């Protein structure tokens, strides 16, 4: 069964450094999402992406964040200058259509020191 | 803005018994989707069950079923014949059905940690 994959599974970085989290959505899916879950808290929406542009972004998704689909398979989340509070689990998700279920990847645990 | 509330931070159940997890939500929309996701210790989010608000019939998936009360804005998950592998964090989530840009995001509740006692 096709699945969403994410790399790396765990990333440790120093405050102020740039990180890129990578996702490979399910191949025939057209909608892509990033969510974040700070340890012990609820899952929060960051951004949705369709047709090579951002559909919606949350207040969390400030100028330090960007998303890109550099080729036909990858979907990336970049944090330009990481802060301690960016430490969280980042989940990528994709769906076939806007009305269809979102399937999540296994997540990338980001630790900012 | 829509909100989702799970009032039970933790629940436990004996193996083979039945447990019900509660979820309430707030929305002004008449049509929407509701979901239950399971997050085991591996932390991957797994879709358990989905309910369309326009359907009166409650969704079922094997041992998992929901009790959807639209007027009360309640969406509980019932797990029958609980198994050790059901131990996980369970999240209730809401999504609008509007086909407009930006309407697809999931809004999650705080989660309920379910423990299965052998």
């Amino acid at each position: 069964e096709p699945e969403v994959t994410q790399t790396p599974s765990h990333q440790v970085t120093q405050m102020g450094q740039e990180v890129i989290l990578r996702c490979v959505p399910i191949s025939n899916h057209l909608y892509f999402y990033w969510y974040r879950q700070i340890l012990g808290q609820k899952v929060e929406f960051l951004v949705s992406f369709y047709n090579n542009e951002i559909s919606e972004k949350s207040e969390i998704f400030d100028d330090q964040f960007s998303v890109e689909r550099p080729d036909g398979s990858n979907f990336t989340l970049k944090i330009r200058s990481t802060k301690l509070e960016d430490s969280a689990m980042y989940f990528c998700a994709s769906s076939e259509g806007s009305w269809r279920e979102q399937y999540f990847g296994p997540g990338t645990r980001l630790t900012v020191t | 803005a829509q909100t989702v509330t799970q009032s039970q931070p933790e629940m436990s159940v004996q193996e083979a018994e039945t447990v019900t997890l509660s979820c309430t939500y707030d929305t002004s929309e008449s049509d929407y989707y509701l979901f239950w996701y399971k997050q085991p210790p591996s932390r991957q989010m797994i879709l358990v069950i989905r309910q369309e608000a326009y359907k009166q019939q409650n969704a079922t998936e094997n041992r998992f079923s929901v009790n959807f009360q639209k007027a009360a804005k309640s969406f509980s998950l019932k797990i029958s014949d609980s198994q050790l592998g059901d131990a996980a964090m369970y999240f209730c989530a809401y999504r609008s059905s509007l086909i407009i840009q930006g309407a697809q995001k999931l809004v999650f509740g705080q989660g309920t940690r379910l423990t299965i006692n052998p």
Side-chain angles (χ1 to χ4, degrees):
Chain A
E1 188 174 326
E3 57 184 22
V4 177
T5 59
Q6 290 184 243
T7 54
S9 57
H10 190 192
Q11 173 97 42
V12 180
T13 190
Q14 289 192 324
M15 196 167 51
Q17 295 296 303
E18 175 184 286
V19 293
I20 297 176
L21 309 183
R22 291 184 166 80
C23 168
V24 178
I26 295 173
S27 62
N28 64 331
H29 285 190
L30 300 175
Y31 292 78
F32 314 111
Y33 314 85
W34 283 101
Y35 291 84
R36 178 180 86 172
Q37 185 183 29
I38 294 172
L39 188 63
Q41 298 187 22
K42 69 166 80 175
V43 178
E44 301 172 288
F45 169 78
L46 289 179
V47 65
S48 59
F49 191 86
Y50 169 70
N51 200 26
N52 281 319
E53 60 181 28
I54 290 174
S55 302
E56 184 181 8
K57 57 184 181 180
S58 71
E59 292 175 354
I60 304 167
F61 195 89
D62 61 23
D63 291 344
Q64 294 298 316
F65 291 87
S66 62
V67 289
E68 193 177 33
R69 189 155 161 80
D71 51 44
S73 59
N74 289 283
F75 179 51
T76 62
L77 173 69
K78 182 193 290 186
I79 309 175
R80 188 164 47 203
S81 178
T82 50
K83 307 185 191 79
L84 293 175
E85 54 264 37
D86 292 328
S87 293
M89 196 77 164
Y90 288 81
F91 292 101
C92 173
S94 69
S95 65
E96 195 175 351
S98 60
W99 65 98
R100 300 299 298 268
E101 293 86 355
Q102 294 177 24
Y103 290 89
F104 283 74
T108 293
R109 182 187 300 277
L110 176 64
T111 302
V112 182
T113 61
Chain B
Q2 295 85 12
T3 59
V4 178
T5 302
Q6 294 177 249
S7 58
Q8 306 154 315
E10 295 182 359
M11 292 281 285
S12 63
V13 64
Q14 290 293 125
E15 194 176 0
E17 298 291 306
T18 295
V19 64
T20 299
L21 308 183
S22 301
C23 172
T24 58
Y25 57 93
D26 189 29
T27 182
S28 59
E29 296 176 344
S30 59
D31 202 12
Y32 45 85
Y33 299 95
L34 295 165
F35 306 86
W36 279 98
Y37 280 88
K38 170 184 177 181
Q39 187 181 43
S42 66
R43 302 206 63 189
Q44 177 150 13
M45 300 284 286
I46 303 165
L47 178 65
V48 175
I49 200 164
R50 151 193 171 134
Q51 174 81 41
E52 291 90 342
Y54 67 85
K55 288 187 178 178
Q56 292 188 334
Q57 186 172 9
N58 289 322
T60 62
E61 285 288 340
N62 301 314
R63 297 182 295 106
F64 298 86
S65 62
V66 298
N67 183 5
F68 173 49
Q69 302 287 328
K70 191 173 184 180
K73 295 181 182 173
S74 169
F75 181 61
S76 59
L77 175 70
K78 185 170 86 171
I79 306 174
S80 304
D81 186 25
S82 299
Q83 300 175 0
L84 294 177
D86 295 333
M89 197 77 167
Y90 285 82
F91 290 96
C92 178
Y94 171 102
R95 200 191 78 211
S96 171
S97 69
L98 294 174
I99 309 298
I100 59 173
Q101 191 177 43
Q104 303 91 22
K105 68 179 180 193
L106 290 168
V107 178
F108 285 88
Q110 304 92 321
T112 296
R113 184 175 303 283
L114 178 65
T115 302
I116 312 294
N117 300 313

